């Protein structure tokens, strides 16, 4: 009886692992940060940023709106972070562990980025 109960408990505990979603966080690198143009063309109180994040072979541009008075986003280019790429959003965790989802504005192959930024130098 004990063996049957132990087998049942083992199966009961391991069964939820098979139902887990296959979502997987990946390393993303923040490539560029630009101020997002205001809709009316004027200066807005709430500033948003277009943040370019390279994940694997894809470059995503997301719209990030920081909390008021937090200008640190301007200085984070080159930083790596773990991201979860969804259909229309990218989710990341802050330093405290809170999750935030930002909308994806555009995406392109990172191979196109390498070709467009390549510069040929002439010998000096």
């Amino acid at each position: 009886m004990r063996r049957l109960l132990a087998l049942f408990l083992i199966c009961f505990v391991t069964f939820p692992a098979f139902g887990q979603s296959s979502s997987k966080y990946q390393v993303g690198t923040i490539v560029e940060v630009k101020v997002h143009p205001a809709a009316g063309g004027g200066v807005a109180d709430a500033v948003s940023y277009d943040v370019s994040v390279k994940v694997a072979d894809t470059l995503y541009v997301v719209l990030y709106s920081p909390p008021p008075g937090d200008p640190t986003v301007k200085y984070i280019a080159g930083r790596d972070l773990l991201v979860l790429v969804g259909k229309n959003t990218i989710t990341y965790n802050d330093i405290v562990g809170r999750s935030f989802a930002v909308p994806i504005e555009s995406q392109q192959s990172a191979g196109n980025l390498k070709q467009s930024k390549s510069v040929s130098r002439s010998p000096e």
Side-chain angles (χ1 to χ4, degrees), residues 42-60:
V43 178
D45 291 336
V47 177
S48 296
Y49 296 91
D50 291 327
V51 179
S52 301
V53 181
K54 182 179 177 279
V55 181
D57 293 331
T58 307
L59 182 72
Y60 297 93

Side-chain angles (χ1 to χ4, degrees), residues 30-36 47-53 62-67 69-79 81 92 102:
I30 298 172
V31 177
E32 185 177 31
V33 178
K34 293 181 182 178
V35 175
H36 184 77
V47 177
S48 296
Y49 296 91
D50 291 327
V51 179
S52 301
V53 181
V62 298
L63 181 62
Y64 175 73
S65 299
D70 185 10
T72 57
V73 70
K74 295 185 225 177
Y75 311 107
I76 61 172
R79 185 177 180 191
L81 69 157
Y92 70 96
V102 291

Side-chain angles (χ1 to χ4, degrees), residues 20-28 55-56 60 81-86 89-93:
Q20 296 286 328
S21 66
S22 63
S23 59
K24 185 167 91 172
Y25 277 81
Q26 302 173 31
V27 176
V55 181
Y60 297 93
L81 69 157
L82 289 176
V83 296
L84 177 64
V85 179
T89 61
I90 289 184
T91 303
Y92 70 96
N93 295 329

